[in-house]
Amino acid sequence: SWGSCSACHTRHSFSVRQARQPEACGKCHLGPDHPQIEVWNESKHGVLYHANRESLGLESDQWRAGIEYATGPTCSSCHMSAAGSQPVTHDVGERISWTLRPPISTKLNMVIFEDNMKNDLTGDEPQMPAVGSEFKGKDGKMRKVKGTLTWEQRRDKMQDVCSQCHQKGFVDGAYKQFDDVVDLYNEKFAKPCKSIIDELIR
């Protein structure tokens, strides 16, 4: 990420303990348009975190799910922290395989450029550029492609994190439920509603 460090690490102390707490993310990720903190607070992960936050070792140099702690993962546990074979990352979206932002949810693929800028490409099977080729970035500039991540690879990264505390059957079942809910919503509500809105606009 080329974001502002102080968005998560407050100035002066630059505390890793503070940045690992969900409140650091929740100051932006809340409300009806993107209620991630509310959803997480009501989840089992959120309940366990609030019950065990004093024993999670949030200030530790090493902070890996399933090793230094096994209950109450925070946002950074799954989206940023080292776990399994996944290294620490400051790209909070690297392990996300769906985007739920557009009216019709789609899968997320990623193009990584040599200057470390990244582009998300939507769709189950988008035209992914070849490594070493030139591809247009979000800012309209052509850049050389260093690598790509398909939505399946991004999902594998997150499932690797999940599997540090959960059995494979549990992880697969959770993703099956999630995919089924998204597919149901897309087919029953999003696509029909979008077609009606598009017709009204025309």
Side-chain angles (χ1 to χ4, degrees):
S1 168
W2 285 11
S4 168
C5 300
S6 61
C8 302
H9 299 271
T10 54
R11 292 181 173 92
H12 307 300
S13 65
F14 209 74
S15 164
V16 70
R17 176 183 177 86
Q18 184 271 331
R20 285 173 175 158
Q21 297 191 48
E23 291 83 357
C25 306
K27 70 182 190 293
C28 298
H29 292 271
L30 78 167
D33 56 336
H34 54 324
Q36 288 90 351
I37 191 67
E38 293 96 333
V39 171
W40 179 85
N41 271 321
E42 301 302 322
S43 74
K44 286 288 193 284
H45 286 170
V47 171
L48 286 168
Y49 165 79
H50 289 295
N52 298 292
R53 69 189 298 170
E54 297 310 316
S55 62
L56 289 176
L58 292 164
E59 67 290 329
S60 302
D61 287 340
Q62 293 286 323
W63 197 64
R64 295 161 297 178
I67 300 176
E68 280 76 34
Y69 67 100
T71 58
T74 72
C75 312
S76 64
S77 298
C78 303
H79 291 278
M80 300 178 75
S81 295
S85 62
Q86 303 308 310
V88 171
T89 177
H90 277 80
D91 183 345
V92 294
E94 185 178 87
R95 302 170 185 169
I96 294 176
S97 52
W98 276 106
T99 175
L100 307 179
R101 290 178 183 163
I104 300 170
S105 299
T106 60
K107 300 286 183 20
L108 272 182
N109 304 274
M110 181 183 286
V111 179
I112 306 157
F113 298 104
E114 286 194 341
D115 62 2
N116 290 320
M117 293 291 283
K118 298 175 180 179
N119 264 29
D120 282 329
L121 300 179
T122 59
D124 286 1
E125 297 178 15
Q127 290 290 68
M128 300 286 274
V131 172
S133 67
E134 295 277 320
F135 193 75
K136 190 181 287 187
K138 285 182 275 194
D139 58 3
K141 294 180 183 173
M142 296 300 286
R143 289 185 165 84
K144 192 168 234 181
V145 176
K146 180 168 75 173
T148 60
L149 284 172
T150 65
W151 68 266
E152 293 100 335
Q153 291 169 318
R154 293 172 82 164
R155 174 168 292 196
D156 287 345
K157 286 175 175 285
M158 185 65 90
Q159 289 182 336
D160 187 22
V161 177
C162 301
S163 67
Q164 302 315 297
C165 299
H166 299 286
Q167 294 293 320
K168 184 179 187 308
F170 183 91
V171 175
D172 290 344
Y175 268 87
K176 173 81 166 63
Q177 286 181 319
F178 179 52
D179 289 343
D180 287 350
V181 166
V182 175
D183 288 335
L184 176 64
Y185 179 83
N186 275 349
E187 298 304 320
K188 190 168 184 178
F189 298 103
K191 290 178 182 178
C193 289
K194 187 174 186 310
S195 68
I196 292 168
I197 291 168
D198 290 346
E199 182 63 27
L200 289 170
I201 289 169
R202 279 196 295 275

